[in-house]
Amino acid sequence: MLGPEIERLIQLLARLPGLGPRSARRAALQLLKRKEALMQPLAEALSVAAERVVTCSVCGSFDTSDPCGVCRDDRRDPSILCVVEEVADVWALERASGFKGRYHVLGGTLSALDGVGPEDLNIAALVTRASDPKVTEVILAMDATVDGQTTAHYITDRLAEANVSVSRLAHGVPVGGELDYLDDGTLTTALKARRPV
């Protein structure tokens, strides 16, 4: 029913996270209806990004320069490394504007089910960076999932000889959260992680 070019557009859009076949068709329709306003600027942005965006050789984040802007920023505290699973986590932490150290992107989590082992992640480079005498603390900012927790424990073991303090992000009740709406696991973790006032 549709031309091969439209089908290809829909199939490529459907590969994006959060877009299924129906959402991809709706997105493709909007792009086609608004070629000048949406499709052409998007095509140009994608082309420029594909050409200029690189992976930072220091932290593993994305930028148009290597090393990235965060790694080059002299105002960032080089003594604190925040370890995250993916680049999206760096973007989330930067959006919150609460962290002024440096990052290290692992590129995922350990997962026996998916066949992801330590050699598939950016862990060896982390151990090397953490062994630098300038680094005094490593913050493990993994997701509160089984794979995230497993990865955090593995990294903690690997950093045992690096002479750095290893900490984790706090887990528990979110700011503005109501106890009645929280799941049992979050409440249990919050109770165990309580601290004096």
Side-chain angles (χ1 to χ4, degrees):
M1 183 173 123
L2 299 174
E5 296 84 0
I6 298 173
E7 275 297 332
R8 179 162 161 65
L9 175 62
I10 293 169
Q11 289 172 358
L12 289 172
L13 288 171
R15 290 184 187 175
L16 295 172
L19 286 183
R22 284 186 179 174
S23 298
R25 279 194 294 275
R26 286 195 294 271
L29 185 58
Q30 285 302 309
L31 289 169
L32 292 167
K33 285 167 107 175
R34 302 180 62 203
K35 282 184 185 178
E36 290 78 24
L38 285 176
M39 185 179 271
Q40 290 172 350
L42 178 61
E44 287 176 32
L46 288 170
S47 177
V48 169
E51 182 182 313
R52 297 186 186 165
V53 174
V54 295
T55 301
C56 177
S57 60
V58 177
C59 72
S61 190
F62 295 138
D63 203 340
T64 54
S65 61
D66 183 18
C68 69
V70 172
C71 289
R72 285 191 331 267
D73 190 346
D74 292 335
R75 296 169 296 178
R76 306 296 290 225
D77 185 351
S79 70
I80 304 172
L81 286 180
C82 183
V83 181
V84 296
E85 294 174 19
E86 300 288 352
V87 174
D89 302 325
V90 172
W91 295 352
L93 288 165
E94 284 297 289
R95 189 175 61 244
S97 301
F99 180 67
K100 299 301 177 198
R102 305 272 169 93
Y103 295 99
H104 188 86
V105 180
L106 294 175
T109 56
L110 297 172
S111 174
L113 290 175
D114 297 325
V116 179
E119 64 283 350
D120 299 314
L121 302 177
N122 200 9
I123 294 175
L126 169 63
V127 174
T128 301
R129 287 182 77 190
S131 298
D132 184 326
K134 294 178 195 167
V135 178
T136 59
E137 181 182 6
V138 173
I139 302 169
L140 301 178
M142 307 317 143
D143 290 344
T145 61
V146 172
D147 289 344
Q149 303 300 317
T150 302
T151 306
H153 287 297
Y154 179 81
I155 289 171
T156 302
D157 290 344
R158 288 287 307 270
L159 294 177
E161 296 177 14
N163 197 27
V164 293
S165 168
V166 180
S167 60
R168 299 279 315 268
L169 288 183
H171 297 119
V173 179
V175 174
E178 296 180 32
L179 295 182
D180 189 39
Y181 292 104
L182 298 177
D183 64 277
D184 297 343
T186 300
L187 285 172
T188 302
T189 303
L191 285 168
K192 287 180 181 176
R194 66 188 181 277
R195 59 182 185 189
V197 180

